[in-house]
Each structure stands twice: as C-alpha cells, then as structure tokens.
Amino acid sequence: MTQLSTAPVAAAVPGPTGRLRALYSMSGNPLDYFNELREQYGPVVRVPLGFRDLYLVSDPEAVHEVLVTSHRNFTKATMSAGGGEWVAPLSVIFGNSLTTSDGEFHRKQRRLIQPMFHHERIAGYGRAFAEISDDIQSGWKDGDRLDLSVEMTELTLAVVARTIFDVTLDSDAAHTIRTGIPRDSGPLRWDSLPFARYLSKLPLSGNKAFFEGRDKLDAIIYGLIEERRQGDGQGDDLLSLLLAARDADTGKPLEDYQVRDEAVTMLMAGHETTANALAWSYHLLGNNPEARERMHQEIDEVLGGRLPTFQDLPRLVWTDAVLSEAMRLYPPIMGMARRPLEDFELCGYRIPKDSFVALVPWVNHRDPKWWPQPERFAPQRWLKTPQPGDAADVLTGHALQPGRPRLAYLPFGAGPRQCIGSAFSQMEGVMALATLGRNWEFEPAPGVAVDTVARITIRPRNGVPVTARRR
C-alpha cells in the first residue's frame, strides 16, 4: 500500500545513470525512452536530469496517490525561477490560471469556473460543434489531398473562437492564435525541462517571436474584455461568463488579468488537444478499414444523413470508442509534473522533497498488464456490451473491467486538477467525427510515415496527409 512518510526507506529507486544521456533523450522525443524505462526498471524510476532527479511514476495506484489521495502534498510549481522562487510549467503563457495555480487560489478558481462546464451548458454547445464541423468540410472535393492535422486544427480553433469569444474563424483573435505564438521554438519547446526559465531569458530568435506573439494575443483579449464590460453582460460565450462570475465568499468579480489567464488557457489548451485527438483518430481509422466501416455504419444508422445533436451521443457508442482509443494510444498531453513539498514514500521507495515527479499517460496507456496488445488500435476495448463478432475478442470490454485501476487511463489527468474541459473535449470530438463521417472517408497518403512530436501535446510530426473520398 502506498503511504506518505518522512522516514527513510532502504530500497534505492532503480534507474539509469548518466545525466547527459538522459537530458539528450528528454530533449528529443522522450515517449519511447520513458516507456523503455518502465519496462526495464518498473513503476517508479529515478532519472538523473539537470540539477535535480526526475522520478517517473507509472503504477496506477501510485498515480492515484499523487493526483488524488495526497494531492495537497504536491505542487504544480516544479520549475526554479531563481532566488528560491518556484513556478509552474506553462505559466509563461497561461499565467496563474487553473492549469498553473495551486493551493487555495486554485480551489477558489475551480469553484468559480466549474459551473461554466456543467453538463447542461456543454449540451448547449452541441449545435455549434456540428455546424462548425459541417462548415469545415463544405469546401472539400472528392479526391482532394488534405492534411487532417491542419484541417482539424482549423475546426477546433473555430469551435473555441465561437464558444469562448463568440468570434469567427476569420477574426483577428483566431488569426493571432493560429499564427502568433510559435510552438516548436522558444519557451514552449523546452518548458518541461528543469532549467526552462533560464533558457527562456536567452536572446534567441524563438524567444523573441514567442513573447511578441504573446503580447499580440494579450492585446486582442484585453480588447475583447473591454468590449464585454461596456456591453450588457448577457453573452453566453465563456468570456462573458468569466466576466459575470462572482466569488462565492466576497462577491467580487475576477480581475481583468485573471480573466485573461483563464481565457488564454481555454483557448490554447482546448483547441490543440482536441485537434490532435481527431487527427490521430483519422490516422488510426485510415489504417484500420474494418473499424472505419463500423463507425460509418453507426453514423448512418443513428443520423440518417442529418447533423448530429447532443441527444444522439448515447447511440454513437463506437464513434465514442474510436476517440477514446485514439486518446489511449496518443494522449492529448505529454505528461504532468509535480513537486513533493516533503519527502514521501511511494511503492516502497523514498522520493525526496523538491524532486521532479513525472506522470506520463503514454506510459500508463501502454502497460501490457492493463492493456493486452497495447500498441493495437482496438475501439472494442471500450464497449460495455459486446456486439456480434466481438465475443471471442480477448480485448472486448477489457478497458472497463472491474479489476483495471481507473488511472491506467488518464488522458485528462485526475483528482481536483483534472481538466475542467474534459467533457467538452470528448463531446466536441465525437460530434466532429460523426458530422464529417456522414459524407467522407480518408485514405492515408501512400509512403508517408506519421510520427509523433512530443512537446506539451503529442501531435503528428509531418501532419496526417490523406486523400478525401466522398462516401
């Protein structure tokens, strides 16, 4: 049983040696490296990295201990900013938002913002999800060569632009989000590394471009905040709801900078993660024609050619399973980092105060103990009731079996810090797959390898090139 303790533990945490080797592996594509570490050393691995040790934790019960049971013993502030100050990864762009804040401030913000993502309100966005998905495909022609990574980014950007700011895809806000902030250079490239704050201060071209883009985005968002404050305050978009929110204890509204931080977080975190999930779904479906045909049959039976609605979701079982399985194989985020506030014991090992604890969904989702044939794309894992032809498949229903720990699957995190928009994202993804699947299927471009880029999110390195075929 996992317990917190300040007492020393005899067992040394296993792991590799060589700080430079570990740093090199981390700075490239670390996903396979992390998976190999779990396979070689077990559920807790010590990785010498920079000036501190990183502890990779992949046992589901241990992950539950960190994220849920003992979450107050950990902080998101894992990066040293110098002078004894600690900051959270991504605060360079997200500020002090739900994604980066800690302690009582985080709890108050969560309580304030949670009603904006209640089931009934999310259901109200269903029509927008379907209409925007329908608009995106309206310009496609049979035989078009498309990059679905680009197309899905446009789709999800249009969704967040409308639902958060009530603006269109051709607005200045959407254009700045699309082009203004470089994701492969500057602070966002190395924000997961222990010395990221020092690198971000260097006079590099990538750093300059990032901060210029951030300033442009801030100018647009503060302009929209000012417009809302001068209006009647009756909007249904998330920006209007943030401005209308009041602290339950004091009755005070959010300051403009707090609204900015939460809005930027919803924008940037919301559209890229869902876009990647959709792009990976189509990549997997393109190489699994039986799963693709089964999804199309379900869409035809449920929709009959019309746009999907929120009420259709319970019947789009296989479509939902496709998205869930895509997020198992290609999780929306690379990992979660925590810093222990005191020494603690995990799986029989002593983890020191102020170390760097890493939770990597890619590793959890590929543990063969919980996922037979972990590299296999098998949406039937997610079916509660086997369908004809599934009964003999050893994978059927496995992801839902009672003996599997819940946090063997954690695409959105867990506990008090679980992604507040997880239901929004799942619904958006299923609605998009169903809308596009009424009319289109996609053939993978021959001879093109689709590989991963793991930075903050996990996205296709060279996109997902396909040929669009009208059904």
Side-chain angles (χ1 to χ4, degrees), residues 94 96-97 105 109 112-113 116 164-165 221-222 224-226 228-229 237-246 253-267:
F94 293 157
N96 196 30
S97 68
F105 180 81
Q109 289 293 95
L112 190 72
I113 295 171
M116 303 176 197
I164 297 175
F165 292 144
I221 291 178
Y222 281 121
L224 290 170
I225 289 173
E226 180 62 23
R228 295 296 193 284
R229 290 206 185 280
D237 56 282
L238 290 172
L239 182 64
S240 296
L241 296 177
L242 284 169
L243 291 168
R246 295 293 182 269
L254 294 174
E255 299 287 347
D256 282 1
Y257 74 89
Q258 293 175 308
V259 175
R260 175 267 174 208
D261 289 351
E262 301 299 348
V264 169
T265 299
M266 292 175 189
L267 266 172

Side-chain angles (χ1 to χ4, degrees), residues 104 136 314 458:
E104 183 59 27
I136 291 294
I458 300 175

Side-chain angles (χ1 to χ4, degrees), residues 53-82:
D53 289 338
L54 178 150
Y55 291 86
L56 174 66
V57 177
S58 59
D59 174 77
E61 297 300 336
V63 172
H64 189 276
E65 183 76 31
V66 173
L67 295 181
V68 184
T69 308
S70 301
H71 69 92
R72 292 178 186 268
N73 295 286
F74 299 88
T75 174
K76 287 272 288 187
T78 58
M79 304 298 170
S80 175

Side-chain angles (χ1 to χ4, degrees), residues 98 108-125 129 163-164 235-247 253-254 258-259 262-263 266 420-424:
L98 278 183
K108 289 181 66 174
Q109 289 293 95
R110 182 92 183 195
R111 189 165 61 245
L112 190 72
I113 295 171
Q114 188 71 58
M116 303 176 197
F117 290 90
H118 280 172
H119 182 80
E120 293 79 6
R121 186 170 293 279
I122 293 174
Y125 294 132
F129 295 162
T163 57
I164 297 175
D236 289 330
D237 56 282
L238 290 172
L239 182 64
S240 296
L241 296 177
L242 284 169
L243 291 168
R246 295 293 182 269
D247 185 280
L254 294 174
Q258 293 175 308
V259 175
E262 301 299 348
M266 292 175 189
I420 200 169
S422 57
F424 182 104

Side-chain angles (χ1 to χ4, degrees), residues 284-294:
L284 293 163
L285 289 167
N287 292 284
N288 292 269
E290 291 183 4
R292 180 179 63 196
E293 180 59 28
R294 185 164 173 174

Side-chain angles (χ1 to χ4, degrees), residues 178-335:
R178 183 192 295 112
T179 63
I181 298 180
R183 289 161 170 76
D184 288 325
S185 63
L188 293 187
R189 177 179 175 84
W190 48 60
D191 204 56
S192 60
L193 298 177
F195 42 81
R197 296 294 149 170
Y198 301 102
L199 292 173
S200 68
K201 296 177 181 178
L202 296 176
L204 304 175
S205 59
N207 287 344
K208 181 180 179 181
F210 171 84
F211 289 113
E212 287 178 351
R214 187 185 66 177
D215 290 345
K216 291 178 182 177
L217 180 61
D218 285 354
I220 285 175
I221 291 178
Y222 281 121
L224 290 170
I225 289 173
E226 180 62 23
E227 287 180 12
R228 295 296 193 284
R229 290 206 185 280
Q230 294 178 359
D232 58 14
Q234 301 300 310
D236 289 330
D237 56 282
L238 290 172
L239 182 64
S240 296
L241 296 177
L242 284 169
L243 291 168
R246 295 293 182 269
D247 185 280
D249 299 323
T250 66
K252 293 182 178 179
L254 294 174
E255 299 287 347
D256 282 1
Y257 74 89
Q258 293 175 308
V259 175
R260 175 267 174 208
D261 289 351
E262 301 299 348
V264 169
T265 299
M266 292 175 189
L267 266 172
M268 299 197 67
H271 90 271
E272 184 168 340
T273 53
T274 308
N276 290 337
L278 287 167
W280 288 122
S281 295
Y282 283 120
H283 165 64
L284 293 163
L285 289 167
N287 292 284
N288 292 269
E290 291 183 4
R292 180 179 63 196
E293 180 59 28
R294 185 164 173 174
M295 186 181 78
H296 288 152
Q297 288 177 355
E298 177 180 86
I299 292 169
D300 293 344
E301 291 171 3
V302 173
L303 302 183
R306 60 175 172 79
L307 288 177
T309 66
F310 175 78
Q311 289 71 28
D312 293 317
L313 292 176
R315 299 175 61 201
L316 293 169
V317 177
W318 183 259
T319 308
D320 183 85
V322 164
L323 185 67
S324 296
E325 180 71 347
M327 289 192 292
R328 183 188 69 81
L329 285 166
Y330 299 97
I333 59 172
M334 176 182 158

Side-chain angles (χ1 to χ4, degrees), residues 330-400:
Y330 299 97
I333 59 172
M334 176 182 158
M336 292 156 276
R338 298 291 187 270
R339 176 171 60 90
L341 299 173
E342 300 292 342
D343 292 1
F344 77 102
E345 181 186 331
L346 200 60
C347 295
Y349 299 112
R350 179 177 175 273
I351 310 298
K353 172 185 176 180
D354 289 340
S355 56
F356 190 87
V357 175
L359 315 170
V360 182
W362 178 281
V363 176
N364 287 59
H365 295 182
R366 281 168 167 75
D367 189 338
K369 181 177 181 180
W370 311 115
W371 306 101
Q373 304 175 45
E375 297 293 340
R376 178 183 169 189
F377 174 62
Q380 59 266 37
R381 298 179 198 268
W382 301 95
L383 301 183
K384 296 179 180 179
T385 304
Q387 298 184 18
D390 288 336
D393 194 323
V394 69
L395 301 180
T396 298
H398 188 85
L400 300 165

